[in-house]
Amino acid sequence: MKERINWIDWVKAWCMTVVVFDHTPHDGTPFLLQFLAGTNLASFFFISGYLKKPVSSQKEALKKYAYCLLIPYLLYNAVFYPYWLVKFHIEHGGINSFGDCLRPVIGTMLGQLNSSISCELNSVTWFLLSLFLMHCITDVCNRQKHRRIWMTVISVTAILLYGANKYFLFAPYLPFHGLVRCICFFFMGNIFRQIGHFKGTDFKKDLHIGVGTLLLSLLLFYWHIHEDCFVLHILLYFIVNILSVFAIIHLFRTLNGIKSRIVTYISIGTMVIFGLHRMLIGIIDFGTEKLTGIADATYTWSEAALIAIGIELLLLPIIFYSKKHSPILLGKNKSFNYGTTKTK
């Protein structure tokens, strides 16, 4: 079995923890929390693109993507459905019609679409649909002679669509929003893999680059959130995200020599945590509201961080089980090798 790339496990575990943390209701919106919420997904999709391997057959690749992404999408929405029914019953004093029960099912089939006949179910699973499309588009680009030019053109088009959608709100559709927001980072990760970047670690170099890019991204993010010119506002957003990707990667490369089984399993189980954490947050919120008598429970950042870590630890047994008996829950097939090429 090949060894895992330890710093990638650290990055994935960090990104996953921030996702759960961001989805936990907070008191207010402090600057650093805004920064985390605005930049975290870029690192996640960069790593996804970096770990993407070349495909020999598009037909076999599509089968793999369908098995590893679309089936988990349906499974995690099916698991979420009973929770949604109970929550809907509590919030509305009952279920009035069969149509009420059918709307989230239709919404799931339509990619978490909110409309007159549908509604989102497990909304965070949009990332599986977006990731499926990113894999397919990247494969098409990589078969072209000038693949990096194609990726650049698509990235620029996606950024323009992201900005247009933010301004005109013509497509409030989660998979589309995620695709146009993050595909450029997925492409970047895939290109960096192709050119063999990040093959070695250097503590001092990684620390200097990580700290420098983090400070610069924070400064530019402050400019971004206060910039009135919409075009510059959007441009700064993507510059900040690119810098934050390098900051996160280089800072966690400094931890490459520190191994943790918990970090490794959080990295392995990102799909389990993605698929189940919103339900657990909802249950915790409901319990908090019942205990305190305060509706719409919110938490301080430290409480939210503890809840996020607690949820991940609570899901570890499911990750252990999935690794041994049900790899589909991890987005893997039975022949999946849990290791990747080692980076020294």
Side-chain angles (χ1 to χ4, degrees), residues 287-295 297:
T288 301
E289 291 169 8
K290 287 296 181 183
L291 287 173
T292 62
I294 302 174

Side-chain angles (χ1 to χ4, degrees), residues 138-338:
T138 304
D139 287 342
V140 172
C141 289
N142 281 330
R143 291 200 303 271
Q144 308 305 312
K145 182 178 180 181
H146 304 291
R147 59 182 181 271
R148 292 177 190 172
I149 294 177
W150 279 101
M151 288 181 179
T152 301
V153 170
I154 293 172
S155 295
V156 172
T157 303
I159 291 170
L160 291 174
L161 286 172
Y162 173 80
N165 189 45
K166 288 281 287 187
Y167 190 82
F168 295 107
L169 299 177
F170 59 84
Y173 185 45
L174 291 173
F176 170 80
H177 186 270
L179 178 68
V180 297
R181 175 185 175 185
C182 297
I183 192 169
C184 60
F185 306 112
F186 189 91
F187 282 160
M188 283 178 58
N190 191 242
I191 290 172
F192 272 60
R193 179 189 179 92
Q194 292 174 15
I195 64 178
H197 203 61
F198 297 130
K199 284 294 184 180
T201 60
D202 182 322
F203 181 85
K204 289 184 178 179
K205 181 180 178 181
D206 286 322
L207 183 61
H208 290 156
I209 294 175
V211 172
T213 50
L214 178 61
L215 292 175
L216 184 55
S217 63
L218 286 167
L219 287 171
L220 291 179
F221 184 73
Y222 183 83
W223 180 8
H224 156 73
I225 60 177
H226 292 93
E227 177 55 55
D228 294 328
C229 174
F230 183 78
V231 174
L232 185 55
H233 174 81
I234 295 298
L235 181 60
L236 283 168
Y237 173 80
F238 283 94
I239 294 173
V240 166
N241 272 270
I242 291 171
L243 289 170
S244 74
V245 167
F246 282 97
I248 292 300
I249 287 176
H250 282 284
L251 286 174
F252 280 106
R253 280 162 60 86
T254 65
L255 301 180
N256 194 55
I258 303 174
K259 294 187 177 182
S260 165
R261 285 179 60 84
I262 292 178
V263 167
T264 300
Y265 274 97
I266 290 174
S267 174
I268 290 172
T270 52
M271 191 170 292
V272 170
I273 300 169
F274 251 118
L276 300 178
H277 77 275
R278 286 301 290 266
M279 180 167 59
L280 294 179
I281 290 174
I283 293 171
I284 292 170
D285 289 347
F286 180 77
T288 301
E289 291 169 8
K290 287 296 181 183
L291 287 173
T292 62
I294 302 174
D296 301 321
T298 58
Y299 310 94
T300 65
W301 72 266
S302 56
E303 291 170 339
L306 289 174
I307 289 172
I309 294 170
I311 286 173
E312 290 179 320
L313 295 177
L314 186 64
L315 291 174
L316 283 179
I318 298 177
I319 297 171
F320 297 152
Y321 174 85
S322 300
K323 182 178 182 293
K324 292 183 178 180
H325 305 291
S326 187
I328 186 63
L329 294 176
L330 303 173
K332 308 298 178 184
N333 57 35
K334 292 181 180 179
S335 61
F336 172 63
N337 184 345
Y338 284 90

